[in-house]
Amino acid sequence: MRKSIFTVLLILFSKFCATAQNQEKLFEQSYALLNNMLVDENSYSFKKAVFSVENAYLDDKLDTLNINKQLNFLTNLSNSLIKDRFLAYLEKDKPTVNKWASVYQIMCDTIPINYNDKIYQYSPFGYDFNDVFGHTTRENLFVSKLLETHKGNCHSLPYLYKILCEELGTTANLALAPNHVYIKHNSIKDGWYNTELTSGIFPIDAWVMASGYVHLDAISNGVYMKALNNRESIALVLIDLADNYNAKFPNNDGTFVLKCCETAIKEYPQFASALILKAETRFKQIKKIENETIFNQQFKELEKQYAHIHEIGYRNMPENMYLEWLISLKTERNKYENKKLNTFSKK
Amino acid sequence: MKTIFFLLIPIFTFSQVKMPTTPQPTQFQHYGNQGLGNPNNINVVPNPMNILNGTDEIQKKQQLQNQQIIREVEQNEKQRIETLNQIKRDINEIDQTNYNLPSLANGKGTEYYRNVYDKMLTLNVENYSVKDVNFEIENAYLENAQDKLEFDKIIKNSGDFIIAKMKELKYDTESNVAKNYMLFQFFSENLNLKANGLKHTPFKYDFVDYMGQKDWSKMFVSKLLKTKTGQCHSMPLLYLILAEQIQAEAFLSFSPSHSFIKFKDKNGKWYNIELTNGMFTASSFMINSGYIKAEALQNHIYLQNLSKQELLSAFYVDLANGYIHKFGYDDFVEKIANKALELYPKNVNAQMIKANYSGVRFEFVAKQLGINPMDNKQLQTIKDNPNAIALLQQANEEGKKVEQLGFTFMPQEAYESWLGSLKEAKRKQENETLNLQFKATVKKTLKN
């Protein structure tokens, strides 16, 4: 009797180990995919990168067929918008700007759709004020969740925007602000301009600077407000992967997380989130060291890392301040809206 | 042997006949010269066979054919010469186009600028006198009418006054922070020396023509000293000159259409002094003007403290701007701008001068070609003129460089309202806090 119970337990335990191992394998695979995109730029695809990370967290249960269907629908809708709509823009890069404008409309506008002589209302993607930072569940930050519910946040909205732009054969630059991601474009007429998807407004740079947590050095060093290239965008996704891993395996030894951080920092040396995650992970590891001299030595090293983070201009923005700032764009719209961009803002 | 000879007879006889030959190039020349304008008047080579056989039908036909060919060739030749002449005429026309702006070197007064430029080239970029350079530049505009000794005396007296006041207030005369604070007071407060009763009144902002559009000398330090009013160009420069006089360390810094003073304390903390209002300001105030793009900060074109070398680059810009204002654009302007960019490649003001210069030069060329450079259709007509195309491309590239540095144009009203916003209660409070903070630092240095 005892023996049989023991064997059952053994089997259950090994089964458990196997699933855990499988889960870890998914993360490793995702890391390999992302890393490969950095090694071989031809394999780059922001869509693949984002969904491989989400799939790893969802235990390989991401419904890729459905996602592709939805993305196809949105891409087709963009294409028909490009065809049918008038855009008051005269410069040489009009085809590209037109693509951006159509993706923007899809993200932020209600669009009537004529299908079999019936008019349907396409409803845009809205902002979800619940769990903005993904504390309850990481899934709240996911693009797959956004596609499903049409509600997202400053993480999923710009990601989807970038994915759609790439589906249309153009590109979009992600840009960082404290706790925030937004979109930057460079057009011939307006130079660099910002697109803020959480409120559907084109804000001027002063809005980001006015958050109060953007140090001058952070801007000049490119910690914030820098138009990130595709490689640096992959660095962002790498840190998503590491964060998801931490959420999934809270008691991990930090090896995988540090690996992600190192690769991300190599691509984007001023990436504050990666530097912080690295320092925090190191701190967790160092705490376990019993030998005092080694502990002191490594702790000193860690202090240097934190000093560096401060030096490049990073300042921690409390989370409640974040929402206040985000809303300021709507309440003080007149002050922060880019009035030059009348080409495609609504009235 | 006989048979062979017999067989050869036809050949010999054949050789007697002058057969029409295909025209040779040398012949063209001949006909061309003789029969220009009258292709029918061609000397027909007499055919010896005519005497024997009379004119043959075939021969006639061949002759006609020949004549036709010759006519054709002649016509081609004529066309060729005509196109050649056309091209020559075109080339002559192009040669008359001047691809460089006319030099203004002969204009009265330009020699002052060239002399100052040559003098500036000899300066040690790490160590030169701000007072002297600035004096020379202003004096070039005023055609050497300024008295250097007088100017030196005013600066020396002001420096002495500042040091004396510091001693009276028991500031540490060795401390950089204390010196800067005293300079700040010198610009913004009423001061008098108890020892000899010398009085000093603060400098004020002059709102009239502060960009020197009507009167360029409005931006001069000499004007500031004379009238005790100045603007965002002259005030920071005088500050730097006085700082040099009392050996304090302070830096010039740019923001859109503006310059101000930066200095740091012992701990490396930076302070901004806004002299036009006599206030300490936070960097966020600068940023909130709304006309600073993130790219501008990433390229370090604004809000950075200029090194001595970068400051010299800014002086070259001053020199160029004065010259442009007084005389206009010529290649001397480009020379100055290039020098400024060599010293400080991201000097956005120098880059703007270069872009403007390229633009003016292209407009000048376009006008000669009879093209309106603003009209896209007319611009298409230069596509056969490689020189003009190169100039247009250069103008576009230089303009693009300005944009890539992160520059955005700040309208004058926006500038005025931004500068005015300093006086808002909130800013005043900010100033108070900073001022208090600052006084605490000075006191600390006093204790030390």
Side-chain angles (χ1 to χ4, degrees):
Chain A
M1 185 61 196
R2 248 194 185 177
K3 243 183 187 174
S4 63
I5 289 174
F6 183 71
T7 34
V8 166
L9 274 176
L10 197 72
I11 288 165
L12 278 176
F13 182 69
S14 67
K15 184 83 182 157
F16 172 74
C17 284
T19 41
Q21 257 176 4
N22 267 339
Q23 283 175 348
E24 281 197 48
K25 212 173 145 196
L26 281 168
F27 277 91
E28 284 289 352
Q29 278 169 350
S30 181
Y31 172 83
L33 182 86
L34 295 177
N35 194 38
N36 191 39
M37 286 184 191
L38 296 172
V39 176
D40 172 20
E41 282 195 50
N42 291 327
S43 66
Y44 164 83
S45 155
F46 194 66
K47 179 173 82 171
K48 273 189 197 159
V50 168
F51 289 121
S52 94
V53 170
E54 294 185 5
N55 187 44
Y57 184 82
L58 297 170
D59 304 335
D60 207 11
K61 289 195 182 95
L62 188 72
D63 186 353
T64 43
L65 279 179
N66 186 35
I67 282 170
N68 275 325
K69 215 173 86 186
Q70 297 232 33
L71 287 178
N72 272 339
F73 167 73
L74 294 173
T75 318
N76 288 337
L77 190 58
S78 303
N79 276 324
S80 61
L81 277 176
I82 291 169
K83 239 190 267 164
D84 300 337
R85 180 208 39 178
F86 173 74
L87 183 73
Y89 188 90
L90 295 169
E91 300 289 341
K92 257 185 275 170
D93 56 345
K94 182 171 179 175
T96 318
V97 173
N98 211 343
K99 284 177 186 169
W100 296 336
S102 75
V103 176
Y104 171 79
Q105 266 193 304
I106 283 190
M107 301 296 293
C108 307
D109 279 359
T110 308
I111 305 166
I113 301 173
N114 189 335
Y115 183 72
N116 286 346
D117 286 334
K118 271 187 191 165
I119 304 288
Y120 295 88
Q121 288 284 344
Y122 162 83
S123 53
F125 295 92
Y127 192 76
D128 186 356
F129 282 93
N130 286 327
D131 195 24
V132 185
F133 297 99
H135 291 320
T136 323
T137 162
R138 294 286 300 173
E139 283 176 59
N140 280 331
L141 303 176
F142 284 6
V143 178
S144 47
K145 181 250 172 192
L146 170 66
L147 283 171
E148 199 176 306
T149 62
H150 267 231
K151 277 190 168 248
N153 47 39
C154 78
H155 185 268
S156 52
L157 286 164
Y159 275 26
L160 177 61
Y161 183 99
K162 186 170 166 67
I163 289 171
L164 287 175
C165 278
E166 290 184 1
E167 292 288 293
L168 287 171
T170 177
T171 159
N173 298 91
L174 299 174
L176 299 177
N179 301 337
H180 192 66
V181 186
Y182 63 102
I183 298 287
K184 282 188 103 156
H185 282 309
N186 192 0
S187 77
I188 290 181
K189 184 166 160 251
D190 302 297
W192 283 108
Y193 68 88
N194 309 321
T195 305
E196 177 51 48
L197 297 163
T198 56
S199 48
I201 293 175
F202 303 101
I204 54 173
D205 280 348
W207 171 63
V208 183
M209 296 172 185
S211 71
Y213 293 90
V214 179
H215 194 271
L216 184 61
D217 294 345
I219 307 170
S220 51
N221 287 327
V223 176
Y224 294 134
M225 307 182 75
K226 179 178 184 246
L228 302 178
N229 61 29
N230 288 342
R231 298 177 70 92
E232 288 160 338
S233 304
I234 293 295
L236 257 59
V237 181
L238 270 167
I239 295 307
D240 293 340
L241 183 70
D243 281 335
N244 289 348
Y245 187 87
N246 266 339
K248 197 105 196 172
F249 312 104
N251 298 320
N252 69 74
D253 66 352
T255 326
F256 181 77
V257 174
L258 282 180
K259 188 166 76 176
C260 290
C261 288
E262 291 298 346
T263 316
I265 292 166
K266 209 175 94 198
E267 275 318 312
Y268 179 14
Q270 279 80 37
F271 184 14
S273 305
L275 292 167
I276 291 164
L277 184 60
K278 181 184 161 188
E280 280 172 354
T281 313
R282 283 294 295 144
F283 182 58
K284 260 194 247 166
Q285 289 179 332
I286 291 167
K287 268 197 295 193
K288 290 179 191 150
I289 296 172
E290 276 162 16
N291 183 322
E292 203 173 322
T293 44
I294 297 177
F295 174 86
N296 285 338
Q297 192 188 350
Q298 300 209 356
F299 195 78
K300 250 193 188 146
E301 192 57 41
L302 188 65
E303 277 181 332
K304 263 191 211 159
Q305 284 181 31
Y306 275 113
H308 174 66
I309 293 168
H310 186 84
E311 220 167 78
I312 59 174
Y314 172 82
R315 302 291 181 271
N316 181 36
M317 183 182 201
E319 291 182 356
N320 56 335
M321 295 298 295
Y322 170 72
L323 280 179
E324 218 169 273
W325 167 71
L326 207 57
I327 292 166
S328 77
L329 189 52
K330 283 211 158 161
T331 50
E332 295 178 76
R333 182 167 183 161
N334 197 34
K335 188 171 166 192
Y336 293 128
E337 191 167 26
N338 190 341
K339 293 181 188 73
K340 277 194 286 179
L341 291 174
N342 46 8
T343 328
F344 28 75
S345 54
K346 296 162 269 179
K347 273 164 223 170
Chain B
M1 184 64 198
K2 254 187 187 175
T3 39
I4 293 174
F5 183 67
F6 186 72
L7 278 173
L8 278 172
I9 284 174
I11 298 174
F12 293 144
T13 43
F14 186 76
S15 70
Q16 300 278 313
V17 183
K18 172 84 178 170
M19 295 293 284
T21 49
T22 41
Q24 296 293 309
T26 46
Q27 280 176 304
F28 295 160
Q29 202 70 46
H30 180 70
Y31 290 121
N33 285 342
Q34 281 203 332
L36 256 185
N38 189 4
N40 295 328
N41 184 18
I42 294 166
N43 288 343
V44 181
V45 184
N47 192 340
M49 285 300 275
N50 286 358
I51 305 159
L52 297 172
N53 310 337
T55 31
D56 195 349
E57 269 298 307
I58 302 165
Q59 275 194 335
K60 227 181 189 172
K61 221 179 174 182
Q62 270 178 334
Q63 254 182 8
L64 275 173
Q65 250 177 5
N66 270 2
Q67 278 176 10
Q68 214 178 347
I69 292 172
I70 287 160
R71 226 177 294 149
E72 251 174 48
V73 168
E74 251 185 316
Q75 231 155 16
N76 283 348
E77 176 70 2
K78 230 169 86 180
Q79 254 176 7
R80 198 177 67 92
I81 288 169
E82 230 167 47
T83 36
L84 254 172
N85 285 343
Q86 177 68 36
I87 289 170
K88 259 184 205 162
R89 247 176 283 142
D90 282 356
I91 288 173
N92 282 343
E93 226 173 64
I94 290 166
D95 283 344
Q96 277 157 20
T97 316
N98 196 347
Y99 288 96
N100 257 320
L101 289 170
S103 171
L104 304 165
N106 297 326
K108 188 188 159 283
T110 55
E111 70 274 15
Y112 299 112
Y113 274 92
R114 285 169 210 275
N115 289 342
V116 172
Y117 176 75
D118 290 340
K119 243 190 232 176
M120 281 171 80
L121 289 180
T122 63
L123 291 178
N124 175 359
V125 295
E126 299 292 334
N127 184 20
Y128 58 91
S129 161
V130 173
K131 179 181 75 175
D132 293 349
V133 175
N134 188 60
F135 179 85
E136 297 272 3
I137 291 169
E138 293 183 3
N139 209 19
Y141 184 85
L142 301 168
E143 307 190 342
N144 278 0
Q146 298 277 88
D147 185 351
K148 179 75 184 354
L149 287 175
E150 180 64 27
F151 182 76
D152 284 350
K153 213 172 91 190
I154 295 172
I155 298 300
K156 189 180 172 294
N157 287 345
S158 303
D160 290 348
F161 181 94
I162 291 165
I163 295 293
K165 189 70 196 172
M166 280 182 84
K167 281 180 184 152
E168 188 185 301
L169 291 169
K170 301 209 161 62
Y171 285 2
D172 178 2
T173 48
E174 294 303 308
S175 149
N176 187 45
V177 179
K179 280 177 183 169
N180 272 296
Y181 190 58
M182 192 63 233
L183 274 169
F184 169 70
Q185 286 182 304
F186 185 77
F187 270 81
S188 54
E189 289 174 22
N190 276 310
L191 299 172
N192 52 356
L193 275 179
K194 279 176 193 150
N196 52 17
L198 264 181
K199 274 186 185 159
H200 166 79
T201 49
F203 298 101
K204 291 233 163 64
Y205 190 71
D206 183 358
F207 286 93
V208 184
D209 191 24
Y210 61 86
M211 289 173 98
Q213 280 158 339
K214 284 187 206 116
D215 178 5
W216 188 254
S217 64
K218 279 258 181 179
M219 312 213 293
F220 286 178
V221 171
S222 49
K223 182 259 175 190
L224 169 62
L225 287 172
K226 229 174 269 164
T227 62
K228 287 246 164 180
T229 60
Q231 39 76 283
C232 75
H233 179 260
S234 56
M235 291 170 121
L237 281 183
L238 178 60
Y239 188 103
L240 289 182
I241 290 168
L242 290 174
E244 185 177 82
Q245 184 68 27
I246 65 168
Q247 285 157 6
E249 189 191 46
F251 301 89
L252 190 68
S253 181
F254 287 121
S255 71
S257 321
H258 195 71
S259 64
F260 61 98
I261 292 290
K262 281 183 95 141
F263 70 91
K264 63 179 175 195
D265 65 16
K266 261 187 192 163
N267 307 320
K269 184 174 173 6
W270 284 97
Y271 293 88
N272 306 327
I273 295 182
E274 183 47 58
L275 293 166
T276 57
N277 300 62
M279 286 167 123
F280 284 96
T281 53
S283 295
S284 62
F285 164 69
M286 301 290 169
I287 286 169
N288 282 345
S289 74
Y291 290 88
I292 298 185
K293 280 196 166 186
E295 283 70 30
L297 296 177
Q298 279 154 24
N299 284 320
H300 303 279
I301 69 172
Y302 292 140
L303 312 190
Q304 297 290 321
N305 49 302
L306 297 190
S307 70
K308 196 95 184 183
Q309 178 170 337
E310 289 163 342
L311 182 65
L312 188 59
S313 170
F315 277 124
Y316 276 107
V317 169
D318 280 353
L319 185 75
N321 276 333
Y323 184 87
I324 293 164
H325 191 265
K326 196 162 186 183
F327 307 107
Y329 288 91
D330 70 355
D331 55 358
F332 182 54
V333 171
E334 190 189 26
K335 203 159 92 180
I336 308 177
N338 281 339
K339 184 69 199 170
L341 286 169
E342 180 194 315
L343 291 170
Y344 178 16
K346 285 186 173 165
N347 186 340
V348 69
N349 298 323
Q351 186 56 50
M352 271 192 272
I353 290 177
K354 211 174 166 194
N356 287 340
Y357 166 77
S358 309
V360 168
R361 186 172 58 176
F362 178 71
E363 275 173 30
F364 172 73
V365 171
K367 232 178 221 167
Q368 292 177 72
L369 297 171
I371 295 168
N372 173 11
M374 296 301 156
D375 188 331
N376 252 336
K377 255 190 197 157
Q378 289 189 26
L379 269 185
Q380 298 296 321
T381 58
I382 65 161
K383 65 171 182 282
D384 297 324
N385 186 338
N387 289 338
I389 288 177
L391 288 184
L392 176 63
Q393 273 170 350
Q394 201 193 341
N396 286 339
E397 262 163 44
E398 298 296 342
K400 197 151 201 185
K401 274 189 211 157
V402 173
E403 211 166 273
Q404 274 166 353
L405 284 172
F407 173 81
T408 36
F409 176 70
M410 187 177 194
Q412 207 167 324
E413 315 85 67
Y415 175 75
E416 281 165 18
S417 80
W418 167 72
L419 210 55
S421 73
L422 255 185
K423 288 186 177 143
E424 282 168 19
K426 194 183 153 207
R427 299 294 169 207
K428 278 201 168 149
Q429 205 180 357
E430 247 174 40
N431 171 49
E432 282 302 304
T433 349
L434 279 164
N435 213 333
L436 281 176
Q437 235 181 36
F438 190 74
K439 272 186 177 150
T441 353
V442 174
K443 269 180 196 155
K444 242 189 270 165
T445 40
L446 285 179
K447 270 181 211 160
N448 293 343

